[in-house]
Amino acid sequence: MMTKKDIIAFLNCRDKKEIDSFFNQAYKIKLDNVGNKVYLRGIIELSNICTKDCFYCGIRKSNNKVNRFCMSEKDIIESALFSHNNRHGSVVLQSGERCDIEFIDFIEKIIKTIKKETNGKLGITLSLGEQAKDTYKRWFDAGAHRYLLRIETSDESFYKRLHPEDHDYKNRLNCLKWLKEIGYQTGTGVMIGLPGQSYESLAADIYFFKDNDIDMIGMGPYVLHENTPLASRNIFNPDRNFELGLKMIALTRVNIKDINIAATTALQTLNPDGYRLGLKAGANIVMPNITPLKYRKDYQLYEGKAFLNESSEGYIDFLANQVKLIGEEIGYSEWGDSPHFYNKKTNNNLV
Ligand code: SAM
């Protein structure tokens, strides 16, 4: 494990040669530890109705300019079957946060139906925010096997500055602990380049992933959304955030060799080569957005989101091409689980 001082020095580094050489090292570690296959997760953004009010997020409950929607069961299942027929291996069900019983039942039914309709073949990752342990268990028993819950930042005092008072960092930690106890492959991540975020804090995030034995990482650059309290055009620097996003991928790969790391949409949003450069910096997962076009414009967490008007077929073709360009393969119809989940000795040592 690199020292925090060395991590911070790399985050500060402006020397292109040095940066490229570190990315090459991370890429080699990726090939040696998780191979040259990129796994696809078709992401279905099933609802933007949210009870949370995070200061950075475009679908926060106080943003009254958002046209709220919840996809019908039929549309969600059709999207999942689209992913299955396109040999994605798994889907991610993501939405704004709701904990009411109608929502819990709705998701449980959807998980069961997807499993039934695909003979158990399509893997299901959930990204549905903070829930009760019992809810996580119900969804796990219904057939979901991976869960992504970003800690957003591992720095508790900074977390407080990004959220209203009733959003509880400790509860988020508890949720991660429960997910691991239940047996989910557990993912987390942070936003990178937030206003007021220090390199010390980002270095601590890498330690957080390591110390908590996380299986998968979905992190990406912070991107401004106009109708949020955090929006400040003077501070937002897309190029810097993009570069930091790549550096964080490489640092994570070098320090935790066998986990799954996603090249995220936010990366692609800030740079037309974002996915490809993310893969070259150490990522091994991509998540084509397969949400039907009619809903996509209403799920804007940040501005300029990539592939807002591109058909799901076009999105997949683009990704397949990016993967081919770097000489890697797509793991068609494979779940592409995190090797770390199977390699690690302990399963619930959240510290
Ligand atoms: N409600 C679920 C949760 O909180 O985990 C899932 C949906 S939430 C919108 C998904 C992720 O979007 C968050 O974890 C956050 O990191 C990311 N996000 C929100 N606003 C963002 C922004 N302005 N820039 C980059 N990422 C953002």
Side-chain angles (χ1 to χ4, degrees):
M1 185 82 186
M2 288 166 73
T3 62
K4 280 194 187 157
K5 201 164 151 236
D6 286 345
I7 293 176
I8 293 165
F10 179 62
L11 290 170
N12 262 311
C13 179
R14 306 259 19 104
D15 183 317
K16 188 161 174 348
K17 253 182 150 174
E18 227 178 281
I19 296 171
D20 284 347
S21 142
F22 192 86
F23 286 171
N24 289 340
Q25 185 193 340
Y27 190 64
K28 183 164 184 318
I29 289 175
K30 158 178 135 167
L31 294 182
D32 289 347
N33 289 274
V34 296
N36 77 336
K37 270 192 194 167
V38 177
Y39 298 101
L40 302 177
R41 325 263 188 246
I43 181 162
I44 307 170
E45 297 164 337
L46 62 94
S47 172
N48 64 1
I49 300 170
C50 193
T51 54
K52 290 290 193 77
D53 223 5
C54 310
F55 295 156
Y56 42 82
C57 185
I59 62 166
R60 64 197 301 267
K61 79 169 169 203
S62 299
N63 184 2
N64 54 21
K65 296 201 169 115
V66 176
N67 174 36
R68 303 286 167 178
F69 73 89
C70 182
M71 280 172 70
S72 64
E73 185 180 333
K74 180 172 163 284
D75 281 353
I76 298 172
I77 301 299
E78 269 176 22
S79 300
L81 292 180
F82 171 86
S83 239
H84 184 54
N85 294 335
N86 281 276
R87 300 180 294 146
H88 287 175
S90 16
V91 281
V92 180
L93 304 180
Q94 189 181 86
S95 93
E97 197 161 303
R98 277 178 60 187
C99 307
D100 53 278
I101 189 68
E102 289 79 15
F103 184 73
I104 294 166
D105 290 346
F106 179 66
I107 296 295
E108 184 181 48
K109 184 155 177 245
I110 279 163
I111 297 168
K112 284 184 175 162
T113 311
I114 294 174
K115 282 289 168 189
K116 188 160 158 258
E117 298 273 322
T118 64
N119 289 323
K121 290 213 172 94
L122 193 63
I124 302 177
T125 303
L126 302 178
S127 172
L128 304 169
E130 291 168 46
Q131 303 286 341
K133 186 171 184 185
D134 185 48
T135 305
Y136 287 144
K137 178 84 172 73
R138 271 181 66 183
W139 293 343
F140 184 79
D141 291 343
H145 80 289
R146 295 187 287 240
Y147 204 104
L148 178 65
L149 180 72
R150 289 186 178 183
I151 191 70
E152 314 297 3
T153 170
S154 63
D155 175 341
E156 187 170 2
S157 61
F158 187 47
Y159 185 93
K160 285 196 175 122
R161 284 169 34 211
L162 303 171
H163 300 94
E165 245 172 50
D166 60 349
H167 291 34
D168 185 0
Y169 175 85
K170 294 216 164 58
N171 190 50
R172 228 161 162 86
L173 279 185
N174 275 336
C175 288
L176 286 170
K177 183 165 155 268
W178 294 333
L179 290 165
K180 293 172 79 182
E181 282 170 1
I182 290 166
Y184 281 99
Q185 290 177 39
T186 303
T188 195
V190 294
M191 278 170 291
I192 302 156
L194 287 154
Q197 189 176 37
S198 65
Y199 289 164
E200 285 74 11
S201 174
L202 288 171
D205 292 338
I206 309 262
Y207 269 74
F208 178 89
F209 305 153
K210 178 87 174 179
D211 293 343
N212 291 300
D213 225 349
I214 292 300
D215 303 307
M216 29 188 232
I217 298 294
M219 65 183 165
Y222 160 75
V223 186
L224 182 141
H225 188 293
E226 202 161 48
N227 302 318
T228 57
L230 211 68
S232 166
R233 297 219 178 257
N234 301 335
I235 300 174
F236 179 53
N237 180 341
D239 291 341
R240 172 181 174 271
N241 287 5
F242 178 72
E243 188 184 87
L244 278 177
L246 293 182
K247 283 179 169 176
M248 284 294 283
I249 289 177
L251 283 164
T252 305
R253 176 60 69 202
V254 166
N255 287 290
I256 321 174
K257 300 182 170 38
D258 58 354
I259 55 174
N260 278 348
I261 306 176
T264 57
T265 316
L267 211 52
Q268 182 68 24
T269 295
L270 296 186
N271 185 308
D273 294 325
Y275 284 127
R276 187 155 46 85
L277 294 175
L279 294 171
K280 288 295 279 183
N284 65 325
I285 304 288
V286 285
M287 301 191 284
N289 192 341
I290 53 155
T291 312
L293 278 178
K294 64 178 169 185
Y295 299 111
R296 259 192 239 174
K297 65 179 181 329
D298 294 320
Y299 199 88
Q300 290 203 61
L301 312 178
Y302 44 77
E303 65 188 26
K305 193 168 167 205
F307 293 98
L308 219 51
N309 298 308
E310 181 70 59
S311 68
S312 301
E313 288 85 353
Y315 206 137
I316 296 164
D317 286 350
F318 174 83
L319 282 174
N321 213 22
Q322 297 300 297
V323 171
K324 208 163 139 204
L325 274 175
I326 56 168
E328 298 198 15
E329 307 171 32
I330 291 183
Y332 283 114
S333 298
E334 291 181 55
W335 282 6
D337 281 336
S338 166
H340 186 78
F341 181 77
Y342 300 103
N343 294 343
K344 68 189 180 186
K345 293 188 183 68
T346 54
N347 208 11
N348 55 2
N349 60 333
L350 202 89
V351 290

